[in-house]
Amino acid sequence: MARSASHFVCSSCGAQTRQFFGRCSSCGSWNTLVEQAGATDGRRLRPQAAGPGRRAEAAPRRSAPIRDVGERPLERLASGYGELDRVLGGGLVPGSLVLVGGDPGIGKSTLLLQSAQAMAQRASVLYVSAEESAQQVKLRWQRLGPADAVAPGREQGGDLQLLAETDLELVLQELEALRPAVAIVDSIQALHDAELSSAPGSVAQVRECAAALARIAKRQDTALLLVGHVTKEGMLAGPKVLEHLVDAVLTFEGDRFASHRLLRAVKNRFGATHELGVFEMRDRGLAEVTNPSELFLGDEPSSGSATIVACEGTRPLLVELQALVSTTSYASPRRSATGLAVNRLHQILAVLEKHLGLPLSRFDCYLAVAGGLEVEEPAADLGVAAAVVASFRDLTLPAGTVLVGELGLGGQLRPVGQLELRLQEAARLGFVRAVVPRASGLGGAARSLGLELHEAGDVAQALVAALGVHPADEPTGPVV
Ligand code: TYD
Ligand code: MG
């Protein structure tokens, strides 16, 4: 077969050249030239009947008034995991393209093989393993205990086909031949298009392979799940190209030393983003955690700890924060935050210093979110402030207290979204007091939930409500 000419495109300015250079001759950026196959679009999947030149004139009008566009009910396929369905927005949409990213060893292959097994009881599934041999996948499949998942009247394994292959062309042929309802490719970086000279895993390869798979999947309504690896910088390799191409990007993350794993939707055309699914890695694969708040809560309140209600998508999560404030022995005090942006901590410390007069710049400050969760939302600010002040003053917050609120730079407490949902979750888990921003309008709702509600306009009022003392008052007598 004649090799189609490939060319190089600068990912920074879009200039094209026939030859590879380390530096783009147009914009001067280094290492931005990416190889692209010349004739890939025409080579694969062109409708058989029409020739390339005549198509434009012969084709009938394709647009239609929007009101006349037929509706097709979205029949989502249950993935076998309620948690995965939740993150997908209610199940897998036929013909959709989902990218599942995560660090090596986090459990992507396990998750997808287990849900492939579950889906294969109801639909045809093709599992393409480009990284592991068929024997390795089978060993894992046996270990995951397929016998439990066999629907009555079906054979063990259901309609699950396995293909161990790295050549893109062969994978495409198999997809054409089988026309499965679901195809899983593990991983997109290990696939290889022989038309391109660059190495498997390079941006050009990843893009070409994903685009070719996407075209065929869309055409035959196959839902395609692609596994993608995360680079050292924490990005999905070939990130932007893939993110634009796919309908949903899920990231699978977690502390490799702990057993729980978090699945998040970073992008989802068929559901809410930032939806969170929680799993636990056991000796027989991943199990769902349906009540995750318990994972991120400590046992007993202690000095320097505070509980917040974070909201991940539509899911409220109770999370314990711990702070340690101690006299510094460095010229500039140390600040470190695990599970929270350190700049956010700097900002909250500055607000506490300025508006409450606490001399925190003479103290080291460490903050940690329990359970390895990453908390991004500003609604955690009040909890951080309370944990820091509690550690600084050696106070313990009364048991059963949650704090929710964003701190403004002027020390004011700003309202946060989905407060009622957060309070419901707190009440459900047995919390009895909530400190929230003023004018929440939730007095009645909180009473019916059995919560004692404290509304505060600024950080000082909120901390007085939470701790029972003004943070700047000199301690009198022994602190509790
Ligand atoms: P894997 O799914 O291979 O990760 P990825 O595809 O993201 O690279 O998961 C690998 C880890 O999971 C491995 O360290 C072992 C662990 N594991 C279990 O603890 N229990 C199990 O049942 C399985 C299959 C894996
Ligand atoms: Mg894997």
Side-chain angles (χ1 to χ4, degrees):
M1 187 172 66
R3 261 186 70 84
S4 61
S6 61
H7 59 274
F8 297 86
V9 178
C10 172
S11 54
S12 164
C13 70
Q16 298 191 5
T17 65
R18 286 235 161 255
Q19 219 183 330
F20 181 78
F21 298 106
R23 182 170 186 225
C24 172
S25 54
S26 174
C27 70
S29 324
W30 285 95
N31 299 326
T32 50
L33 289 192
V34 171
E35 187 186 15
Q36 274 194 338
T40 18
D41 275 2
R43 179 180 46 134
R44 293 189 188 110
L45 315 175
R46 184 186 300 135
Q48 300 295 313
R54 298 202 316 270
R55 238 170 96 201
E57 307 133 41
R61 259 184 52 203
R62 301 253 174 122
S63 61
I66 191 163
R67 59 183 173 275
D68 296 344
V69 174
E71 285 168 39
R72 202 171 59 153
L74 273 186
E75 281 186 23
R76 294 174 184 255
L77 184 66
S79 66
Y81 277 119
E83 293 290 296
L84 177 54
D85 289 344
R86 162 206 287 275
V87 178
L88 286 168
L92 196 56
V93 175
S96 67
L97 211 68
V98 180
L99 176 67
V100 182
D103 285 330
I106 206 74
K108 302 178 294 297
S109 306
T110 309
L111 176 74
L112 292 181
L113 187 60
Q114 271 181 289
S115 72
Q117 166 66 27
M119 288 188 287
Q121 306 302 318
R122 279 163 280 123
S124 53
V125 181
L126 172 66
Y127 188 99
V128 179
S129 172
E131 290 187 352
E132 291 167 278
S133 69
Q135 285 71 30
Q136 280 172 309
V137 179
K138 173 143 193 210
L139 272 178
R140 185 197 296 256
W141 176 76
Q142 281 171 332
R143 177 167 166 204
L144 296 174
D148 301 347
V150 181
R154 300 293 299 252
E155 278 178 53
Q156 203 190 41
D159 197 352
L160 177 58
Q161 298 284 328
L162 177 62
L163 171 70
E165 186 52 68
T166 57
D167 186 343
L168 175 69
E169 202 62 52
L170 298 177
V171 173
L172 293 176
Q173 280 170 16
E174 194 68 14
L175 276 170
E176 290 259 29
L178 281 177
R179 297 186 159 258
V182 181
I184 294 166
V185 177
D186 184 2
S187 68
I188 187 72
Q189 275 99 355
L191 274 196
H192 173 243
D193 181 353
E195 299 271 325
L196 293 177
S197 56
S198 43
S202 64
V203 176
Q205 285 280 3
V206 168
R207 173 164 49 194
E208 273 310 303
C209 293
L213 287 166
R215 279 191 293 265
I216 198 167
K218 290 270 177 223
R219 206 182 40 165
Q220 57 189 43
D221 237 8
T222 296
L224 192 62
L225 290 150
L226 304 176
V227 174
H229 286 293
V230 168
T231 58
K232 272 202 208 101
E233 294 80 40
M235 302 284 280
L236 283 162
K240 289 298 164 208
V241 266
L242 282 187
E243 278 180 26
H244 291 306
L245 190 73
V246 300
D247 297 309
V249 180
L250 313 186
T251 59
F252 204 34
E253 55 197 42
D255 188 343
R256 226 170 321 153
F257 305 105
S259 63
H260 60 268
R261 302 278 183 269
L262 306 173
L263 185 70
R264 264 177 227 273
V266 195
K267 159 181 174 177
N268 194 351
R269 288 189 183 139
F270 301 110
T273 45
H274 299 290
E275 208 51 88
L276 181 80
V278 186
F279 297 87
E280 192 179 350
M281 184 60 97
R282 304 234 177 104
D283 54 350
R284 288 184 83 189
L286 286 157
E288 303 182 78
V289 178
T290 43
N291 197 3
S293 280
E294 286 162 8
L295 273 180
F296 307 112
L297 281 181
D299 305 330
E300 284 289 306
S302 56
S303 158
S305 76
T307 306
I308 60 159
V309 197
C311 220
E312 296 284 344
T314 54
R315 172 175 243 178
L317 266 185
L318 275 102
V319 182
E320 185 183 312
L321 306 178
Q322 292 182 329
L324 177 66
V325 178
S326 63
T327 321
T328 188
S329 45
Y330 300 94
S332 62
R334 292 189 62 107
R335 270 95 175 79
S336 103
T338 314
L340 188 99
V342 74
N343 279 343
R344 199 86 209 161
L345 177 63
H346 284 144
Q347 189 176 318
I348 296 166
L349 293 176
V351 170
L352 291 175
E353 178 135 19
K354 170 100 182 172
H355 295 282
L356 299 178
L358 304 181
L360 291 167
S361 51
R362 283 187 267 127
F363 291 81
D364 290 336
C365 182
Y366 304 91
L367 189 100
V369 179
L373 190 76
E374 292 275 338
V375 178
E376 285 169 8
E377 24 158 38
D381 289 357
L382 180 59
V384 174
V388 166
V389 171
S391 173
F392 178 66
R393 290 283 312 272
D394 206 9
L395 294 170
T396 303
L397 273 114
T401 304
V402 290
L403 302 111
V404 183
E406 176 181 346
L407 286 193
L409 291 182
Q412 67 276 45
L413 206 57
R414 294 224 183 96
V416 301
Q418 294 174 308
L419 192 57
E420 190 167 354
L421 199 69
R422 298 178 203 248
L423 295 185
Q424 280 168 358
E425 178 74 357
R428 194 177 69 78
L429 285 162
F431 283 75
V432 291
R433 295 171 75 229
V435 183
V436 301
R438 180 174 288 158
S440 67
L442 286 180
R447 258 192 308 280
S448 65
L449 290 169
L451 278 178
E452 182 188 319
L453 195 70
H454 297 267
E455 294 185 310
D458 61 31
V459 60
Q461 286 173 11
L463 294 179
V464 169
L467 295 160
V469 291
H470 193 285
D473 287 350
E474 281 304 311
T476 47
V479 277
V480 217

